[in-house]
Amino acid sequence: MDYFSSDNPVFITYAIASALMVLKIMGQGWMTVYRMMKSDTGLVNPEDLRKTPLNPNPRADQLELDDYVDRSRRMHRNDLENIPGFWMAGALFVMVGPPLWLAQVLMYGFVGARVLHALAYLTKQNHEVRATFYTIGSLIVIYMALHAVVGLVS
Amino acid sequence: MDYFSSDNPVFITYAIASALMVLKIMGQGWMTVYRMMKSDTGLVNPEDLRKTPLNPNPRADQLELDDYVDRSRRMHRNDLENIPGFWMAGALFVMVGPPLWLAQVLMYGFVGARVLHALAYLTKQNHEVRATFYTIGSLIVIYMALHAVVGLVS
Amino acid sequence: MDYFSSDNPVFITYAIASALMVLKIMGQGWMTVYRMMKSDTGLVNPEDLRKTPLNPNPRADQLELDDYVDRSRRMHRNDLENIPGFWMAGALFVMVGPPLWLAQVLMYGFVGARVLHALAYLTKQNHEVRATFYTIGSLIVIYMALHAVVGLVS
């Protein structure tokens, strides 16, 4: 059986969840761009202090750390620490032919946990809230990787 | 039909573009190493200030942020924010059997945009130049992810 | 022949190595969490200074860079610069049908190099030790990407 096929509903689940996470990562880059433009700060390169159309009023403090912009970069970093691992573990998980309900719970659960993590981060919820959604996402990836290895080697 | 096959020219396009992007990411690490050695600075660990063959003349200021070295690290971070998303979106895109010309335009277009982004970064071009190539690469990844999901679920 | 199949021992090698690297990346996140809790510092968000169950005694210096916690974050960043590239290059390498011994040497060699890199980082070995294991891992990824492209286009 070909697991990576549009005939396999587990694969479709994986494809949808993975594509949504692609959009999440790329969208986070655009949130950073938006926040840089809105706050007119958050630059990271000395050459960005030149007077150009994107920066008509350069000021030295535009290179200083700004929480509004840096928050989006921290969210981005957190994504990079979690989402590529999901892509890899999820692909291996698809190959052991898990029940569809389990794939849906885990994969859409991961997407949901990451969306809620992002919302908690954006709205500056207490550490505990962010940590809860981080934990759910992380444990799902770890479970899928372990489940896949056990299934593939046995 | 098996999409992930050397008989499928769309897959070959994906494989070449993806391998080039692997070399880009790994090469960026080596550029950081080269710049650290050439400038004898840019260290990030306290233990690297020990007197050893790689650091015969330790100085405390070797731990300070140095634009020459940090520029390579910023380029690396930008790669990590974009390239793994390309790998994932591209794999899904291959599975919807797109026209070869479209795959070539998007995938080699992404490679070209990232190479030009790196050159603009290295040579300290104005923000607008870097932003343009970033935008092209990002939109390609977003497009491929959307195209793939629509194709797979319909 | 279907390369991505549990009947292909080269794929099984890839799957085991890749899953171990998923666990390495996710585990690095948990090491950061553990070190934050143990040292009661290493926070990165202003809102984490609120008095909550996870932070009963907030202090402004909890936001300062702490080597104990930041070391784990630097290890994490190093993982992100190397492991996703391994996943991509390894998948392409599987598709050119390499000899099993070569796949095992390269893929388990990568896992071993990354584990030893982590141990060298944790125990603050001299730069030369860390650099050696980084180099081995990086060259393996570069080799696999080149081998795969040559095999797929010829």
Side-chain angles (χ1 to χ4, degrees):
Chain A
M1 178 186 167
D2 190 359
Y3 291 111
F4 294 113
S5 155
S6 54
D7 298 331
N8 178 8
V10 169
F11 171 73
I12 295 294
T13 303
Y14 170 70
I16 292 170
S18 295
L20 289 173
M21 291 294 90
V22 169
L23 299 176
K24 171 69 183 67
I25 281 188
M26 305 316 285
Q28 196 64 50
W30 289 103
M31 180 185 285
T32 303
V33 169
Y34 170 82
R35 290 187 162 209
M36 287 171 74
M37 296 185 78
K38 188 174 170 193
S39 66
D40 196 26
T41 187
L43 301 178
V44 292
N45 295 291
E47 67 266 30
D48 297 347
L49 292 188
R50 290 179 200 143
K51 187 178 173 71
T52 65
L54 275 180
N55 194 10
N57 300 304
R59 307 176 315 277
D61 67 9
Q62 288 177 309
L63 287 175
E64 286 174 16
L65 203 67
D66 177 79
D67 185 65
Y68 180 65
V69 178
D70 195 59
R71 181 171 298 273
S72 182
R73 291 207 173 95
R74 295 197 300 272
M75 292 171 66
H76 211 155
R77 187 176 65 194
N78 199 285
D79 280 349
L80 298 178
E81 291 172 354
N82 288 278
I83 292 174
F86 170 78
W87 291 333
M88 185 69 235
L92 295 175
F93 186 67
V94 167
M95 291 201 59
V96 295
L100 178 58
W101 69 266
L102 180 61
Q104 288 175 331
V105 167
L106 294 173
M107 292 175 177
Y108 295 145
F110 179 83
V111 172
R114 294 306 304 176
V115 169
L116 291 169
H117 181 272
L119 290 175
Y121 221 138
L122 266 184
T123 57
K124 305 181 189 178
Q125 299 301 310
N126 284 354
H127 198 160
E128 286 75 4
V129 180
R130 232 168 55 234
T132 301
F133 296 125
Y134 171 83
T135 299
I136 294 170
S138 182
L139 292 181
I140 286 173
V141 173
I142 290 169
Y143 174 79
M144 289 198 305
L146 291 173
H147 183 127
V149 163
V150 170
L152 284 167
V153 300
S154 62
Chain B
M1 178 186 167
D2 188 0
Y3 290 111
F4 294 113
S5 153
S6 54
D7 298 331
N8 178 8
V10 169
F11 170 73
I12 294 294
T13 304
Y14 171 70
I16 293 171
S18 295
L20 289 173
M21 291 294 91
V22 169
L23 298 177
K24 172 68 183 69
I25 281 187
M26 305 315 285
Q28 196 65 50
W30 289 103
M31 180 184 287
T32 303
V33 169
Y34 171 81
R35 289 187 162 210
M36 287 170 75
M37 296 184 78
K38 187 173 168 195
S39 66
D40 196 26
T41 186
L43 301 178
V44 292
N45 296 292
E47 66 266 30
D48 298 347
L49 291 188
R50 290 180 201 143
K51 186 178 173 72
T52 66
L54 275 180
N55 194 9
N57 299 304
R59 307 177 315 276
D61 67 8
Q62 288 177 309
L63 287 175
E64 285 174 17
L65 202 67
D66 176 79
D67 185 65
Y68 180 66
V69 177
D70 195 59
R71 181 170 299 273
S72 182
R73 291 206 173 95
R74 295 196 300 272
M75 292 171 66
H76 211 155
R77 188 175 65 194
N78 200 285
D79 280 349
L80 297 178
E81 290 172 355
N82 289 278
I83 292 175
F86 170 78
W87 292 332
M88 185 69 235
L92 296 175
F93 186 67
V94 167
M95 290 200 60
V96 295
L100 178 58
W101 68 266
L102 181 60
Q104 287 174 331
V105 167
L106 294 174
M107 292 174 178
Y108 295 145
F110 179 82
V111 171
R114 295 306 303 174
V115 168
L116 291 170
H117 181 273
L119 291 175
Y121 221 137
L122 266 184
T123 57
K124 306 181 189 179
Q125 299 302 309
N126 284 354
H127 198 160
E128 285 75 4
V129 180
R130 230 168 56 234
T132 301
F133 297 125
Y134 171 84
T135 300
I136 294 171
S138 183
L139 292 182
I140 286 173
V141 172
I142 291 169
Y143 174 79
M144 290 198 304
L146 291 173
H147 183 127
V149 163
V150 171
L152 285 167
V153 301
S154 63
Chain C
M1 179 187 166
D2 190 359
Y3 290 112
F4 294 112
S5 154
S6 54
D7 299 330
N8 178 8
V10 169
F11 171 73
I12 294 294
T13 303
Y14 170 71
I16 293 171
S18 294
L20 290 173
M21 292 293 90
V22 169
L23 298 176
K24 171 67 183 68
I25 282 187
M26 306 315 285
Q28 195 65 50
W30 289 103
M31 180 185 286
T32 302
V33 169
Y34 171 81
R35 290 187 161 209
M36 287 171 75
M37 296 185 77
K38 188 173 169 195
S39 66
D40 196 26
T41 187
L43 302 178
V44 293
N45 296 291
E47 66 267 28
D48 297 346
L49 292 188
R50 289 179 202 143
K51 187 178 173 73
T52 66
L54 275 179
N55 194 10
N57 300 304
R59 307 176 315 277
D61 67 8
Q62 289 177 308
L63 287 175
E64 286 174 17
L65 202 66
D66 176 79
D67 184 66
Y68 181 65
V69 178
D70 194 59
R71 180 172 299 273
S72 182
R73 292 205 173 95
R74 295 197 300 271
M75 292 171 67
H76 212 155
R77 188 176 66 194
N78 200 285
D79 280 350
L80 298 178
E81 291 172 353
N82 288 278
I83 291 174
F86 170 79
W87 291 333
M88 185 69 235
L92 295 176
F93 186 67
V94 167
M95 290 201 60
V96 294
L100 178 58
W101 69 266
L102 181 60
Q104 288 175 330
V105 166
L106 294 174
M107 293 174 176
Y108 294 145
F110 179 83
V111 171
R114 294 306 303 175
V115 169
L116 291 170
H117 181 272
L119 291 175
Y121 221 138
L122 266 184
T123 56
K124 305 182 190 177
Q125 299 301 311
N126 284 355
H127 198 160
E128 286 75 4
V129 180
R130 232 168 56 234
T132 300
F133 297 126
Y134 171 83
T135 300
I136 294 171
S138 182
L139 292 181
I140 286 173
V141 173
I142 291 169
Y143 174 80
M144 289 197 304
L146 291 174
H147 182 128
V149 163
V150 171
L152 285 166
V153 300
S154 61

